[in-house]
């Protein structure tokens, strides 16, 4: 049983930040520029070049459709990605300890409040964790693992100092004669403890005592909310996770306000939902240090083409001009089965 430290009667869950570190007033609304953002469809030459490269990189794909196709339509699909990052700091208190070897024991006075302990903030929007010892919470306790003896029973020989002989398997004899390794006894000295039957306690390192104290675990986490405004084009938006787009807006503040007046109302709605969700989720359990919201326009071109009198569709997306085709018309049988 550990002593009760004033102000630290309950340990474990996140320490609720003081009210002055909780919800704050929103700054002025974030207004997008009053203009429409458009990326034109790529040219037929670029679309064909990307398609040929795609077919060449895929196993068992023939490049004939990409080289012989006839374009019927290329249409730009303005796809927006809204990203909200909320960088939070949470603090958890828990007991810790180390072997006691004569260290100076901190005076058992009233410890500081968990949120009053100054801790340098790491780089913004990067996950990080740190443990620090809370002042005035130290106490010397006997080691619970070895009952303050400094040694623990050997698990290999179960405190006996001897184990079954590995040469004869415990029989005392080999194929033609008695076992010379154990002299016929079937037992040999335990290699783990050297025959002592006990080993140095791993918890207290043989000292029999522990210096116990309360530690403050500080966790910085970048919490992400992302919404892709899909136009129902049939393109799998999960492919955009590793794709870069053109940044249209970046807004960073301790507390950001939802975006308003963006030409696409779905983006405004996504921003409103993301900001409110993060405020409700983090403002009472963590300290929100910084927020950043961005809007990206991701170029996607839907291409309709004809090959062997049949119409097909593929997409060219991202600044990297990647290709997605659900029904590439010329692949070998084994790929079709797979």
């Amino acid at each position: 049983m550990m002593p009760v430290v004033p102000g630290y009667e309950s340990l474990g869950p996140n320490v609720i930040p003081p009210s002055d570190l909780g919800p704050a007033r929103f700054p002025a609304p974030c207004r997008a520029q009053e203009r429409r953002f458009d990326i034109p469809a790529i040219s037929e030459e670029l679309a064909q070049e990307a398609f040929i490269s795609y077919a060449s990189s895929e196993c068992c794909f023939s490049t004939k459709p990409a080289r012989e196709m006839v374009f019927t339509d290329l249409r730009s699909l303005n796809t927006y990605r809204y990203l909200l990052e909320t960088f939070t700091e949470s603090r958890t208190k828990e007991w810790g300890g180390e072997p006691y070897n004569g260290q100076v024991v901190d005076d058992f006075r009233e410890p500081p409040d968990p949120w009053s302990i100054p801790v340098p903030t790491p780089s913004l929007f990067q996950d990080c964790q740190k443990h620090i010892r809370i002042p005035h919470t130290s106490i010397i306790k006997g080691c619970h693992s070895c009952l303050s003896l400094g040694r623990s029973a050997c698990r290999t020989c179960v405190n006996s100092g001897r184990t079954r002989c590995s040469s004869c398997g415990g029989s005392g004899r080999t194929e033609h004669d008695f076992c010379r390794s154990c002299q016929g006894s079937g037992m040999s000295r335990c290699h783990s403890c050297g025959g002592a039957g006990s080993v140095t306690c791993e918890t207290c390192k043989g000292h029999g005592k522990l210096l116990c104290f309360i530690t403050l675990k500080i966790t910085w986490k970048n919490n992400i909310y992302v919404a892709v405004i899909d136009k129902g084009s049939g393109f799998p938006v999960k492919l955009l996770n590793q794709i870069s787009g053109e940044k249209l807006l970046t807004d960073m503040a301790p507390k950001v306000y939802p975006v308003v007046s963006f030409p696409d109302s779905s983006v405004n709605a996504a921003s409103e939902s993301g900001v409110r969700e993060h405020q409700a989720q983090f403002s009472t359990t963590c300290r929100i240090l910084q927020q950043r919201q961005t809007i990206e326009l991701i170029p996607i071109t839907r291409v309709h083409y004809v090959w062997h009198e049949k119409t097909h569709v593929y997409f060219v997306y991202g600044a990297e001009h990647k290709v997605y085709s659900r029904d590439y018309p010329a692949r070998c049988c084994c790929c079709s089965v797979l």
Side-chain angles (χ1 to χ4, degrees), residues 36-194:
R36 182 163 295 278
F37 305 101
D38 291 295
I39 294 180
I42 61 176
S43 64
E44 292 184 358
E45 292 76 11
L46 186 54
Q48 187 169 28
E49 180 183 334
F51 205 28
I52 293 174
S53 177
Y54 162 76
S56 301
S57 65
E58 293 292 325
C59 175
C60 303
F61 275 30
S62 169
T63 60
K64 292 184 67 176
R67 298 182 185 277
E68 300 173 356
M69 65 180 177
V70 177
F71 291 102
T72 58
D73 183 51
L74 286 86
R75 182 168 301 180
S76 176
L77 305 173
N78 287 323
T79 302
Y80 300 107
R81 177 167 56 201
Y82 172 79
L83 175 68
L84 172 65
E85 299 170 273
T86 299
F87 189 57
T88 61
E89 175 185 334
S90 60
R91 300 191 174 193
T92 304
K93 46 191 180 178
E94 56 190 21
W95 277 104
E98 61 185 29
Y100 178 67
N101 189 25
Q103 303 96 309
V104 176
V105 180
D106 195 5
D107 294 336
F108 199 73
R109 293 179 291 171
E110 184 175 353
D113 181 81
W115 281 102
S116 68
I117 300 175
V119 181
T121 302
S123 301
L124 293 177
F125 305 109
Q126 294 184 18
D127 291 354
C128 185
Q129 194 173 89
K130 186 175 183 179
H131 292 78
I132 63 173
R133 184 182 303 186
I134 299 178
H136 313 309
T137 61
S138 300
I139 188 173
I140 300 175
K141 298 280 289 183
C143 180
H144 56 279
S145 296
C146 63
L147 301 179
S148 304
L149 298 176
R151 297 187 66 83
S152 302
C154 177
R155 295 184 179 181
T156 303
C157 64
V158 196
N159 210 26
S160 67
R162 297 176 65 80
T163 57
R164 184 163 52 182
C165 178
S166 59
S167 298
C168 64
S171 65
R173 299 188 60 83
T174 59
E175 184 177 356
H176 302 292
D177 201 356
F178 74 98
C179 179
R180 298 183 182 275
S181 297
C182 62
Q183 300 299 316
S185 67
M187 302 293 289
S188 60
R189 186 173 63 175
C190 176
H191 294 289
S192 298
C193 63

Side-chain angles (χ1 to χ4, degrees), residues 50 242-245 298-299 316-323:
Q242 305 299 325
I243 295 299
S244 58
I298 303 176
V316 182
Y317 61 99
E320 301 84 353
H321 295 147
K322 289 182 175 290
V323 169

Side-chain angles (χ1 to χ4, degrees), residues 269-289:
S271 178
E272 171 78 18
S273 177
V275 170
R276 300 300 177 186
E277 179 180 308
H278 274 201
Q279 283 293 318
Q281 185 175 358
F282 304 118
S283 61
T284 58
T285 58
C286 308
R287 181 182 180 185
I288 297 179
L289 301 178

